Amino acid sequence: MSEAAQLDPEDRKIITLARSVRARNSVPEGAAVRDETGRTYVAGTVALDSLKLSALQTAVAMAVASGASSLEAAAVVTDAESASDEDRAAVRDLGGAGTPVLLAGPDGTLRANPVHYRDTRT
């Protein structure tokens, strides 16, 4: 069974949404997060002179601004090999240490199994 077939349909959905916003807006990254109620928030990279946010940071901020109190999952579509420390911290701050972060390439292919980032701060 392929990785895509093993993914939960809701996880496939946020990868698809992240991929779509990346392509539609011609930005380096697209991201989507799903909150505790199942609502999704989709964002691309923000690169203004005065404000720079990754797509995942922007999606988390949108969820917070909309009243989300937790996250079930996050996805980022990027050329990068891993999510940045800042991205993982944003997801962890809202969703907790066990929130899966799905990392996919521009074609939507999952780079690895969902990663549950643990809080290693002491």
Side-chain angles (χ1 to χ4, degrees):
M1 184 181 288
S2 73
E3 284 181 10
Q6 293 175 14
L7 274 178
D8 175 274
E10 292 300 314
D11 289 345
R12 280 197 303 272
K13 175 183 171 184
I14 61 173
I15 291 172
T16 299
L17 290 169
R19 184 175 179 221
S20 295
V21 74
R22 181 182 185 270
R24 181 177 55 249
N25 295 340
S26 298
V27 292
E29 295 180 337
V33 298
R34 184 175 62 248
D35 74 9
E36 74 283 359
T37 68
R39 289 180 298 180
T40 55
Y41 307 88
V42 181
T45 309
V46 173
L48 301 173
D49 289 340
S50 62
L51 180 63
K52 304 225 183 299
L53 294 171
S54 72
L56 195 49
Q57 291 169 336
T58 305
V60 170
M62 291 173 66
V64 170
S66 297
S69 60
S70 184
L71 295 178
E72 291 181 349
V76 62
V77 173
T78 180
D79 286 321
E81 293 299 317
S82 65
S84 71
D85 290 342
E86 294 83 6
D87 283 353
R88 293 190 310 263
V91 170
R92 183 179 57 237
D93 285 349
L94 184 57
T99 305
V101 177
L102 304 157
L103 182 73
D107 65 354
T109 301
L110 195 61
R111 293 195 190 271
N113 288 328
V115 178
H116 297 263
Y117 291 102
R118 299 291 176 219
D119 190 347
T120 56
R121 297 176 291 181
T122 55

